[in-house]
Amino acid sequence: HLETAVRMARQQRYLALWLGDEKMADRCTLNEAFNYIHAGQFEVALRLIRAVKRSSEQRDDDLTVRMCQSALLFCHRVRTANKHETEHGNRNDTTTDDFQRIRIVQDRSKRSRITA
């Protein structure tokens, strides 16, 4: 499935470039990087994210720069979670269900109580 997802992200990038939308093209590359993160290919993902971040900074595209910062954080957390799972023998080499993306990163947000 990775091959198909990467091919789709690249086709979207080509279309965005054809339309002359560099911002959208960079965001499509970021989408490609997320596919590599989910596949465990962190170095490839990091190279793509850093390239998009440099490109976005040169264009003063603050939104895409922030998206890159989030992607870098996500990549770090997934990599850390994968190391933890590998060290504790819980890691499978293949995804066995559709909930891996939900499970992979621990929720570190503070829960607030809403009172009526």
Side-chain angles (χ1 to χ4, degrees):
H1 300 296
L2 174 64
E3 183 180 323
T4 302
V6 167
R7 188 175 334 114
M8 288 176 63
R10 288 179 181 168
Q11 289 296 323
Q12 290 171 338
R13 176 178 171 75
Y14 297 144
L15 180 59
L17 288 171
W18 183 75
L19 293 171
D21 191 344
E22 290 183 42
K23 290 179 182 182
M24 184 57 66
D26 275 351
R27 293 174 190 165
C28 292
T29 302
L30 207 53
N31 181 31
E32 180 181 347
F34 274 105
N35 289 312
Y36 284 117
I37 292 169
H38 290 295
Q41 296 182 23
F42 304 110
E43 294 306 318
V44 176
L46 288 171
R47 276 195 308 271
L48 290 172
I49 295 167
R50 289 178 183 135
V52 169
K53 189 171 184 229
R54 278 191 304 272
S55 172
S56 300
E57 288 170 341
Q58 290 172 352
R59 280 192 325 277
D60 292 325
D61 180 4
D62 292 334
L63 176 60
T64 306
V65 170
R66 288 192 309 270
M67 290 171 71
C68 290
Q69 291 167 342
S70 294
L72 288 169
L73 179 62
F74 181 70
C75 185
H76 171 73
R77 287 184 178 178
V78 172
R79 178 185 258 177
T80 301
N82 280 352
K83 285 181 184 177
H84 178 75
E85 287 182 359
T86 301
E87 290 171 0
H88 292 85
N90 298 331
R91 175 85 174 126
N92 292 332
D93 289 335
T94 59
T95 303
T96 55
D97 61 45
D98 292 331
F99 297 104
Q100 179 185 16
R101 291 183 182 193
I102 297 168
R103 228 185 19 250
I104 198 86
V105 179
Q106 291 179 341
D107 181 10
R108 295 183 182 166
S109 62
K110 296 189 181 203
R111 303 209 188 269
S112 63
R113 295 184 181 207
I114 299 174
T115 56

